[in-house]
Amino acid sequence: MKVLNFARRLSKSAVTVSEEIRSALAEKSKPVVSLESTIITHGFPYPANIEMAKKVEEAVRSSGAVPATCAFIKGKPFVGLTETQLEQMAESKAVNKVSRRDVGVTMAQGLDGGTTIAGTMILSQLAGIKVFATGGLGGVHKDGHVTMDVSADLTELARTPVSVVCSGPKSILDIARTMEYLETQGVFVATLNDNNRSNVEIPGFFCRDSGVLSPYQFSSWKEAAAIVHNSNNVMGLTSSNLFCVPPPEDVALPSEFIEKVIVDATAKAAEQKISGKHLTPFLLKSVAEASDGKSVECNKNFVVNNAIAASHLARELLDIEAQGPKVNFVPSTSIKKDTPKAVSVEEPTKDVADKVDTLIIGSIALDTISVFDKEATMGDSNPGKSRSSVGGVGYNVSLAHKYASRGSTYRFISAVGDDFAGKSLLNELDKTHGDTSGIKVVPSSQTAQYTAMLDPQGELVLACADMTILEQPDNQAFLKEQIVRAQPGTIVVDCNFSPEMLSSLLQVVKRELQYEPKVIVEPTSAPKSSRIGQVNTKNLGVFPNNTISMITPTVAELASIHSTFSRRELFDDYDEWFPALDSLGINSQFREKMASQANKHEVLKFLLEKGVIQQCFQLIPYIPTIAVKLGKKGVVLVKLSTDVEAYKSIPTSSPYAPSFIYTSEGSMVEEQRVGVVIEYFPIPKANHDLNVVNVTGAGDTFLGVLSSHVSSYDWLSSEVKTIEQEWALWESIYNAQVASGLSIQSHEAISPEIKKLTTTH
């Protein structure tokens, strides 16, 4: 597929990054540390400013890192300045001070601009730099609760995942209120405990102490790097981490002296009506005069000190990222020889072909299904019938996939305990699949179990799923080995895995495979479906760089997924998500068209009233194909297409054609019309008046049959290459629904009758 560029004006392509920095970031060969430029343009007079800039850059280089001074030159954002550019910024007398609000005007008017903490963080993130060194932090002014004079640095820390190393808030500020503000914004703050103190205070810029206790403390940069890694890389949080370094003892100023100077200077500022952006320079000048220039020397020293510290942090972070997850897998030795053997990470089974078309990763469990003889009385024992069998979403999907496959290869990946249930499941799996090489046996662990209670009509009343074994972090290395080994064209995974496991799996897909497999995620249940939205956003990606190709939620599961994305503010991404969404042409005319058609199509009215269509629209930049299971109403497919014009010429004479198709007008992106397509498939006539026995395997059957056809027909592609491709999709959904009906009427979770279904494509 042609790679499309949805980038907005302020994007990575708008920033000029030096070749040295680009290479270091791309090759991960050296750590990179960002540096601000207001210290050059507004901090010191010439030539002290250029001397200071060079000294700080040299400190970074001497520490084994690459300096990345950020600035705007004639309206163009730069990350990494040449010596000539540094001189230019140092000598210029008409330089804008660039925070977030000033970016647009600086670019539009072609101005030179020195970047503040906020401005530097923005450019750093766009360049891919994760660590930034500065002097003192902006914050809440002494009378900020009255004047609302709060630095934009604080809000930037809350929204931009670039870790900052500084010497605490400037002493002229209300440090206690600054810390309260950062806590409210969810910004992690910690102070380096460089002399084994029991109580560590936030440093006050010129002073080692401020009278305000630090929320957290750390004793090494390795420890700090682990915090950054887990916060931003593992969990995908979009806020910064603030690491405060007390100024060296030999240059720090007494806090009592500084406090008195600031009180006097603040009073003078009030008398002279000095406020806003002019207040901070006035107060700092007053401190410099009162200290006979010692505050200036202190400032210079701790800026260099912070640059060295940030270099250490960047190095430790680079090392952690290079190592990846540390997992030790110990294969079980307690299973008897006559039990089918599971594969270990170190020694994959040799007698099974490695590569497969489809890899199905998910749960296998001992299922116990109980059916009440009559309506249940809650809180009491009820008569009924129970039966146990092999189950689990992953197993069920793999079994349906097997029944529906026509020659394509697959492998099921899961984990069991070394208990009696685990041995039983392995024996059964050996009979049904003939390949247990994808099953990991976890010592001293309990095999997953699922217990469901059904009413006399076969409808689910209550269920309990214990899938703890799948959430163990030790599974990460095993999954990676299995994915790399299989080189699958399609990967199906259920949400019984933890968000961390799902994120790790997607990371393997992005980094370890030399191609882009189709990844289909089964949400599993409304509570567990939220895990899709909890994965690291870097591993999720926005179209056309998305990792997940398709999800198959129910209406409730879709709402849960959408809610999680919303809570994580993934719909507030105006750099990648919004441009992709904006290009789809989901404008007021298209919405009005659907609203008017709702009177003709009862299902469309239902979908709009429930917010199904609207939720899909917001999600498809992250997940370009969404098949929503509507129960007795059928299935609606909402997908992103890079060829919406083609849908106007696809014949609907196929017996499996959807009841209605709507396409947005879309927009032209690099000679392709990108838009959204909505297709509705009612339940087949074969599924009318079903004799419902149980519904536990209906959704799993749907996905298993659907996934069995993906490897044969490329209908998960965003491009329409042939009419047959789209017709194959329609028939696949039809057969998946018919198969679900067969399972609903079967005592087995997955009906063996699926084997009899035929396809024309």
Side-chain angles (χ1 to χ4, degrees):
M1 185 194 79
K2 185 177 180 180
V3 177
L4 304 181
N5 177 21
F6 294 98
R8 291 172 67 83
R9 185 171 184 177
L10 180 58
S11 65
K12 294 180 181 179
S13 61
V15 180
T16 299
V17 182
S18 75
E19 180 60 35
E20 180 187 19
I21 294 169
R22 277 206 312 270
S23 297
L25 292 171
E27 299 169 7
K28 300 185 182 299
S29 55
K30 283 187 176 182
V32 181
V33 175
S34 285
L35 303 169
E36 64 169 281
S37 51
T38 50
I39 197 169
I40 306 171
T41 59
H42 295 78
F44 299 98
Y46 185 83
N49 55 358
I50 187 64
E51 292 171 358
M52 183 65 194
K54 291 180 178 179
K55 188 175 182 180
V56 174
E57 285 204 348
E58 180 55 36
V60 173
R61 291 193 186 280
S62 298
S63 302
V66 178
T69 302
C70 300
F72 285 80
I73 299 177
K74 295 183 179 179
K76 180 78 174 176
F78 283 82
V79 175
L81 303 184
T82 64
E83 190 168 334
T84 301
Q85 289 172 327
L86 280 173
E87 289 280 358
Q88 178 184 336
M89 296 300 291
E91 293 179 3
S92 179
K93 296 180 180 179
V95 184
N96 202 23
K97 195 172 185 179
V98 184
S99 187
R100 175 174 282 268
R101 71 167 187 180
D102 312 294
V103 169
V105 68
T106 301
M107 295 177 71
Q109 297 182 7
L111 305 176
D112 289 339
T115 53
T116 63
I117 288 178
T120 305
M121 290 178 71
I122 292 169
L123 296 190
S124 299
Q125 183 190 18
L126 290 172
I129 302 171
K130 300 179 180 180
V131 178
F132 162 39
T134 186
L137 180 71
V140 180
H141 276 267
K142 295 284 186 182
D143 56 353
H145 60 292
V146 177
T147 64
M148 297 301 291
D149 192 350
V150 179
S151 171
D153 295 346
L154 303 189
T155 50
E156 201 62 47
L157 287 166
R159 66 172 67 159
T160 305
V162 175
S163 293
V164 178
V165 177
C166 71
S167 290
K170 295 182 176 71
S171 305
I172 59 176
L173 303 171
D174 188 327
I175 296 178
R177 283 197 172 98
T178 298
M179 289 299 107
E180 288 290 343
Y181 188 95
L182 289 174
E183 180 184 2
T184 301
Q185 294 295 317
V187 178
F188 174 82
V189 181
T191 300
L192 177 65
N193 189 349
D194 56 357
N195 56 6
N196 296 317
R197 290 168 289 173
S198 56
N199 292 319
V200 178
E201 295 182 7
I202 292 289
F205 195 51
F206 301 121
C207 316
R208 288 181 60 82
D209 299 308
S210 64
V212 179
L213 285 177
S214 178
Y216 290 92
Q217 58 177 282
F218 64 101
S219 56
S220 72
W221 291 108
K222 184 174 184 178
E223 181 183 349
I227 293 168
V228 175
H229 176 65
N230 281 281
S231 175
N232 299 135
N233 295 342
V234 177
M235 292 303 296
L237 300 183
T238 56
S239 53
S240 173
N241 302 283
L242 182 67
F243 297 101
C244 300
V245 180
E249 292 182 351
D250 58 341
V251 297
L253 300 179
S255 56
E256 298 82 4
F257 167 74
I258 292 296
E259 181 62 28
K260 183 179 184 306
V261 172
I262 292 172
V263 170
D264 293 342
T266 302
K268 288 182 182 178
E271 291 174 6
Q272 299 177 32
K273 296 183 179 180
I274 297 172
S275 61
K277 65 180 182 180
H278 303 293
L279 179 59
T280 296
F282 175 82
L283 295 177
L284 291 177
K285 182 180 179 182
S286 299
V287 173
E289 291 173 350
S291 65
D292 295 325
K294 290 181 181 178
S295 64
V296 176
E297 290 305 310
C298 178
N299 191 351
K300 291 180 180 179
N301 276 278
F302 63 61
V303 169
V304 172
N305 190 53
N306 294 345
I308 295 171
S311 301
H312 295 323
L313 172 59
R315 164 54 66 192
E316 295 290 354
L317 182 59
L318 191 64
D319 288 346
I320 289 177
E321 292 174 341
Q323 293 169 10
K326 294 182 178 179
V327 180
N328 294 317
F329 172 66
V330 181
S332 172
T333 56
S334 61
I335 297 180
K336 295 180 181 179
K337 291 182 179 180
D338 59 352
T339 302
K341 195 173 182 180
V343 68
S344 75
V345 172
E346 293 83 358
E347 298 180 4
T349 301
K350 302 298 183 183
D351 58 350
V352 178
D354 284 338
K355 291 188 177 182
V356 293
D357 297 320
T358 305
L359 207 61
I360 300 169
I361 305 172
S363 62
I364 183 171
L366 180 63
D367 277 6
T368 300
I369 309 297
S370 299
V371 182
F372 297 124
D373 289 341
K374 58 182 181 179
E375 293 301 319
T377 302
M378 303 306 290
D380 200 356
S381 177
N382 292 269
K385 298 177 179 62
S386 298
R387 62 194 303 270
S388 296
S389 62
V390 184
V393 173
Y395 173 80
N396 287 343
V397 170
S398 69
L399 194 58
H401 183 102
K402 175 192 174 185
Y403 288 161
S405 292
R406 296 293 183 268
S408 62
T409 57
Y410 75 98
R411 182 174 299 123
F412 175 47
I413 307 298
S414 192
V416 297
D418 59 353
D419 51 7
F420 177 78
K423 298 173 188 178
S424 300
L425 294 184
L426 277 173
N427 275 315
E428 187 62 28
L429 191 62
D430 190 45
K431 295 176 185 176
T432 57
H433 289 56
D435 175 8
T436 59
S437 65
I439 307 301
K440 173 185 174 183
V441 177
V442 184
S444 305
S445 294
Q446 181 173 304
T447 298
Q449 297 197 38
Y450 174 81
T451 304
M453 298 181 183
L454 312 181
D455 64 19
Q457 290 74 44
E459 296 290 339
L460 181 65
V461 176
L462 193 66
C464 177
D466 178 7
M467 302 293 162
T468 308
I469 191 171
L470 296 179
E471 299 182 359
Q472 297 182 11
D474 286 359
N475 292 327
Q476 291 182 0
F478 179 73
L479 288 182
K480 176 180 176 180
E481 188 270 342
Q482 290 291 336
I483 293 171
V484 173
R485 168 195 172 202
Q487 297 288 299
T490 304
I491 297 175
V492 180
V493 60
D494 70 46
C495 282
N496 279 305
F497 291 102
S498 66
E500 293 77 16
M501 289 293 296
L502 288 173
S503 190
S504 175
L505 185 151
L506 296 178
Q507 185 178 63
V508 170
V509 171
K510 289 179 77 76
R511 294 185 179 181
E512 303 297 332
L513 301 180
Q514 303 302 312
Y515 61 98
E516 298 177 0
K518 305 300 182 185
V519 178
I520 305 175
V521 180
E522 164 53 41
T524 306
S525 68
K528 292 182 178 179
S529 64
S530 66
R531 296 175 177 182
I532 297 173
Q534 295 174 43
V535 302
N536 188 322
T537 52
K538 294 178 181 178
N539 297 329
L540 196 61
V542 174
F543 188 87
N545 301 311
N546 54 285
T547 311
I548 299 177
S549 309
M550 180 182 187
I551 56 174
T552 55
T554 62
V555 173
E557 290 165 354
L558 177 70
S560 176
I561 295 167
H562 182 272
S563 176
T564 306
F565 273 67
S566 180
R567 284 198 305 272
R568 288 194 64 198
E569 300 181 348
L570 298 184
F571 301 137
D572 295 334
D573 175 6
Y574 288 92
D575 291 325
E576 295 186 67
W577 170 81
F578 181 77
L581 180 68
D582 191 43
S583 70
L584 300 180
I586 307 172
N587 50 30
S588 57
Q589 291 90 340
F590 181 56
R591 295 176 188 275
E592 289 171 5
K593 175 184 176 182
M594 285 197 299
S596 64
Q597 293 296 315
N599 295 325
K600 300 179 182 179
H601 298 286
E602 192 65 31
V603 171
L604 181 58
K605 182 179 180 181
F606 165 81
L607 294 172
L608 292 173
E609 288 178 347
K610 290 290 185 180
V612 171
I613 299 297
Q614 299 90 324
Q615 291 167 4
C616 287
F617 285 167
Q618 289 193 301
L619 286 168
I620 56 176
Y622 292 106
I623 306 165
T625 303
I626 304 176
V628 186
K629 297 172 290 191
L630 307 174
K632 295 179 180 180
K633 295 182 185 295
V635 174
V636 65
L637 192 71
V638 182
K639 58 184 178 180
L640 188 155
S641 172
T642 56
D643 195 9
V644 289
E645 285 294 322
Y647 281 88
K648 297 178 181 179
S649 59
I650 295 177
T652 56
S653 54
S654 165
Y656 311 109
S659 290
F660 60 73
I661 303 175
Y662 291 115
T663 61
S664 66
E665 186 64 25
S667 61
M668 295 302 296
V669 179
E670 297 185 5
E671 301 180 356
Q672 290 181 278
R673 184 163 290 279
V674 179
V676 65
V677 179
I678 304 170
E679 298 176 311
Y680 168 63
F681 303 85
I683 61 170
K685 290 182 179 179
N687 285 14
H688 292 185
D689 303 320
L690 295 177
N691 177 29
V692 178
V693 176
N694 83 79
V695 297
T696 57
D700 302 340
T701 298
F702 178 83
L703 177 55
V705 174
L706 204 60
S707 65
S708 71
H709 296 164
V710 174
S711 58
S712 302
Y713 315 104
D714 192 24
W715 49 254
L716 269 181
S717 170
S718 63
E719 294 179 278
V720 179
K721 299 172 183 176
T722 63
I723 293 173
E724 287 74 22
Q725 171 192 326
E726 189 66 12
W727 278 25
L729 164 63
W730 297 348
E731 186 176 0
S732 296
I733 291 179
Y734 174 86
N735 281 330
Q737 290 197 83
V738 171
S740 296
L742 294 175
S743 291
I744 287 173
Q745 299 178 92
S746 173
H747 287 287
E748 304 289 338
I750 308 299
S751 172
E753 294 295 308
I754 295 171
K755 299 174 185 176
K756 300 178 182 179
L757 290 177
T758 59
T759 59
T760 58
H761 287 87

